[in-house]
Amino acid sequence: MSATSVGVAVDVVPLGLRDWSLHAALVPVGTTSRFAFPGGRVPPEESLDGAARRWLAHHLPRKDAFVEQLYAFGEPGRDPSSRVVSVAYLALVPRTEDAHGVQWFPCDAMPPLAYDHGAVAEKALERLRAKLSYTNVAFGLLEDPFTLADLQRTYESILGRELDRRNFRKKVLGLGLVVPIGKRRHGPHPPADLFRFAERRLVAMEIG
Amino acid sequence: MSATSVGVAVDVVPLGLRDWSLHAALVPVGTTSRFAFPGGRVPPEESLDGAARRWLAHHLPRKDAFVEQLYAFGEPGRDPSSRVVSVAYLALVPRTEDAHGVQWFPCDAMPPLAYDHGAVAEKALERLRAKLSYTNVAFGLLEDPFTLADLQRTYESILGRELDRRNFRKKVLGLGLVVPIGKRRHGPHPPADLFRFAERRLVAMEIG
DNA sequence: ACAAAAGTGTTCAAAGTACACCCATGA
DNA sequence: TCATGGGTGTACTTTGAACACTTTTGT
């Protein structure tokens, strides 16, 4: 990149649940002990969304991830020859599975991050928390089928507060966020009704 | 720009009220009869926000505009040598005043737009409508002091529906969105209390 | 039998919505 | 005096929040 131009990159923040705690996928940066989100330059023939999906797929080969643009970052650095604007993306992956050297870290205990990826992570969490409250975006974190307790734990974990079980059930059923599949899960004690999301596309709905 | 790189630009969508109807500022594009939002390349030494404010100030020299990043646009064009990613910004200007060749058009009757500025305009309106409902962002559209009728007309115009005068008053006073300045405006008939915004920085608050 | 989790309704408080009258002013 | 628009309060409805017991199952 010459000193008179600005490059474009994408960075993807892959988030997922592990043991009902939100984790982020990171890759080690060079020889340092720092980590960064997957991403890289956008070639001229590729769309931003395409580049984000490509980088996500490279590290976490899932076809069904929810991907959404977050924000364009990139203050001018000290060295003008390396000026890059990075378009950050949020990606939700239903199960936290590894591939190609990514490591999952709890979002409340992330390792030192390279570049401005601290701010990127902030933005991603903020966006996820907000969307959880007024959309059905939780479908990106949970595979069908699931119990209402699973869904509630998902919400509680990300919102950081406990929810009333009965009010939660009334809310998500009343809104039509989830629908019963007519089966039950048998586990350690009493069987629980199984559900799936009514829609697996982003839909706005006022949830608590 | 060479065929192997992607350039970065900003585009600013300046919105303001004229006769209680939302208008957008546009500049003519070259020799065509199309219009575009103000904007241009981002030099390596300038931040995105800085470039957005610079372009805004160039056309509409206000110091107090509300400016916020919207979205990064830029599908690969037909010609790879001209690939540019444009970071769009929303700008709110309290009074729709002209400068340097911009023209104001009603948002519901815009002229043909160049590039992907139709999508950019969509995004800006969507964002403004959303923020109007859960922040005090209206301060960007209205100068102090104003009457509650002024504020209500602002909301009604942008949300596209009528609001009840008494409920509106209860809401905005109860939330502390505005505070009375203790003066009244004398006009065609009975005098109206004047108000100012309690805060002129973005604050979240659940408004209807 | 007991521990652990799932299912289920009601009550109360708060917020939102609908609605009508009087008054001050300028013409 | 009249037309216009601004100011004010109440009743009703809807929504949200709090809360306890019974049932099922595996150990």
Side-chain angles (χ1 to χ4, degrees), chain A residues 31-44:
Chain A
T31 62
T32 72
S33 62
R34 299 170 93 83
F35 287 82
F37 293 112
R41 286 298 176 115
V42 178

Side-chain angles (χ1 to χ4, degrees), chain A residues 161-189:
Chain A
R161 61 193 163 94
E162 298 202 332
L163 302 172
D164 181 87
R165 187 155 39 99
R166 289 155 290 183
N167 293 339
F168 185 77
R169 167 179 288 260
K170 260 185 296 184
K171 197 65 169 286
V172 298
L173 291 178
L175 286 168
L177 174 67
V178 299
V179 295
I181 64 169
K183 296 187 173 183
R184 321 192 80 188
R185 172 180 297 169
H186 294 267
H189 287 302

Side-chain angles (χ1 to χ4, degrees), chain B residues 149 165-166 169-170 189-193:
Chain B
R165 188 155 39 102
R166 288 154 292 187
R169 168 178 287 259
K170 261 185 296 185
H189 286 305
D193 296 348

Side-chain angles (χ1 to χ4, degrees), chain B residues 145 179-185 192-196:
Chain B
V179 295
I181 64 169
K183 296 187 174 181
R184 322 192 79 186
R185 171 180 297 170
D193 296 348
L194 287 169
F195 295 83
R196 63 176 176 80

Side-chain angles (χ1 to χ4, degrees), chain B residues 20 139 142-152 177-179 181 185 192-198 200:
Chain B
W20 307 114
F139 74 80
L142 218 47
E143 284 179 310
D144 297 332
F146 50 84
T147 67
L148 286 189
D150 293 338
L151 185 63
Q152 185 175 341
L177 173 68
V178 299
V179 295
I181 64 169
R185 171 180 297 170
D193 296 348
L194 287 169
F195 295 83
R196 63 176 176 80
F197 285 97
R200 285 206 157 260

